[in-house]
Amino acid sequence: MGTPLHPGAWWLWALALGTAATRTTNPLLLALLIAVSAYVVVSRRPHAPWSRSYGAFVKLALAVLVIRLLFTTVLGSPIPGTHTLLTLPEVPLPDWAQGIRLGGRVTAEGLAFALYDAMKLATLLICVGAANALANPSRLLKSLPGALYETGVAVVVALTFAPNLIADVQRLRAARRLRGRPDRGVRGLLQVGLPVLEGALERSVALAAAMDARGYGRTAQVPAPVRRTTAALTLGGLLGVCAGTYGLLTAAGGTYGIPVLLAGVAAALAGLWLGGRRTVRTRYRPDRWDARAWLVTASGATVAALLFLAAARDPAALHPGVVPLVAPSLPLWPAAAVLVGLLPAFITPAPETTTVQTFVKEPS
């Protein structure tokens, strides 16, 4: 078996596919992006409890589609249409609710527009679900820059606190039922809550002692100008990333979106690199960013770049119209570009198969 892929490469690949999904409303291309991510997840998802989150994201994406279509049916759509599917009873609204209606005509054009728009968000959610199913969260937190080390530890503590709290509640309720005492209602909640809080406090004290014994929170001496430069670069970079992302998602900001986004990412990375100098820590067996990680990241970036180019050169193919209502067509070379995202399924190591051993008890 080969060395597992760096978890950051999976996230960059999935986010690149999600970025490509934001450049089109063609349902065929969006369905192809979903199929590409699903194939990679099925073929390269490890056998671990955290890798089962992909199904939850698929269900969330389906819920987004249903809710969007339901809102369009009940509240109407701004898209004019001539193909009336059904007419709901319309509820009269006061004058201050101008522009809003309840009920009325439901047109095929309005539903098609809502479906195309909701599929874009659903595809983005499924791509994020693919990253969650493929990337090991503990290894990803271990690979964070030094400046985000304390944030990563806080995330790990928060993620482990809730399951332990639920386990304590279930254990105490089971113990009260065995003793014939009530475990429901206000009385049961009050009598269970105090031991649960006591156990959480004991775990917090033990965790704090363990972290203090391992030197958590100790920082190196960094000059004041370096700290100010770090704060300015990190804050300015994050603002640039937000402004650049907003520009990419809007039609008017297409000219400045990419330069501002790249400048923001560069400033944020520089700030994180400088901020890591104040954190004194070591990594045990760090994950290496090898050639396969570069290829996986490049495959996702290629899909995003080619979809950006296709949206600029042939916007009609990537954004099919609904007035008049026509069937969407599959553009050939953008579809071929999406298939580049299948590369991780062939260059990354297959997940380890779990073997079940059967033990036969010998007679005594």
Side-chain angles (χ1 to χ4, degrees), residues 70-89:
L70 182 62
F71 278 8
T72 302
T73 302
V74 176
L75 302 178
S77 173
I79 303 299
T82 57
H83 298 79
T84 303
L85 298 179
L86 70 156
T87 302
L88 299 177

Side-chain angles (χ1 to χ4, degrees), residues 102-131:
L102 293 175
R105 289 194 316 125
V106 179
T107 62
E109 290 84 355
L111 289 179
F113 177 80
L115 177 64
Y116 295 171
D117 194 53
M119 278 194 67
K120 182 164 63 173
L121 178 57
T123 306
L124 182 59
L125 289 173
I126 291 177
C127 291
V128 173

Side-chain angles (χ1 to χ4, degrees), residues 10 39-40 43-44 296 339-350:
W10 284 125
Y39 180 81
V40 175
S43 60
R44 290 297 179 262
V296 170
L339 295 178
V340 177
L342 289 173
L343 184 63
F346 304 100
I347 65 174
T348 56

Side-chain angles (χ1 to χ4, degrees), residues 65-325:
L65 290 176
V66 172
I67 292 173
R68 183 70 170 85
L69 293 176
L70 182 62
F71 278 8
T72 302
T73 302
V74 176
L75 302 178
S77 173
I79 303 299
T82 57
H83 298 79
T84 303
L85 298 179
L86 70 156
T87 302
L88 299 177
E90 188 168 355
V91 179
L93 298 176
D95 296 337
W96 53 266
Q98 292 293 332
I100 303 175
R101 69 175 180 85
L102 293 175
R105 289 194 316 125
V106 179
T107 62
E109 290 84 355
L111 289 179
F113 177 80
L115 177 64
Y116 295 171
D117 194 53
M119 278 194 67
K120 182 164 63 173
L121 178 57
T123 306
L124 182 59
L125 289 173
I126 291 177
C127 291
V128 173
N132 278 275
L134 293 169
N136 190 329
S138 61
R139 289 174 52 215
L140 181 64
L141 289 173
K142 186 178 69 173
S143 303
L144 285 176
L148 300 178
Y149 170 63
E150 296 177 356
T151 304
V153 174
V155 171
V156 172
V157 173
L159 291 177
T160 56
F161 178 78
N164 290 330
L165 195 67
I166 295 174
D168 285 347
V169 172
Q170 294 176 348
R171 176 175 55 84
L172 290 170
R173 290 183 61 186
R176 290 184 63 82
R177 285 196 299 269
L178 290 175
R179 293 179 175 89
R181 299 177 181 177
D183 63 321
R184 298 179 182 275
V186 178
R187 182 181 177 184
L189 180 62
L190 292 177
Q191 295 184 0
V192 169
L194 184 59
V196 168
L197 292 178
E198 182 182 0
L201 182 60
E202 291 178 354
R203 280 197 305 271
S204 300
V205 173
L207 178 62
M211 293 170 67
D212 184 69
R214 289 167 175 79
Y216 176 76
R218 298 176 185 175
T219 59
Q221 295 295 331
V222 179
V226 176
R227 292 199 302 268
R228 299 190 190 98
T229 305
T230 301
L233 286 175
T234 305
L235 182 58
L238 294 178
L239 290 176
V241 169
C242 294
T245 305
Y246 176 78
L248 292 178
L249 296 177
T250 58
T255 55
Y256 69 86
I258 295 180
V260 173
L261 178 61
L262 294 178
V265 169
L269 291 178
L272 292 177
W273 178 76
L274 286 176
R277 297 173 59 184
R278 65 184 294 270
T279 303
V280 182
R281 72 186 185 106
T282 58
R283 289 189 180 95
Y284 175 69
R285 298 176 63 182
D287 293 311
R288 298 186 180 276
W289 191 277
D290 53 8
R292 294 174 307 167
W294 283 112
L295 289 175
V296 170
T297 304
S299 66
T302 301
V303 175
L306 292 178
L307 263 292
F308 268 87
L309 182 61
R313 291 195 171 184
D314 191 7
L318 269 68
H319 299 277
V322 295
V323 181
L325 187 62

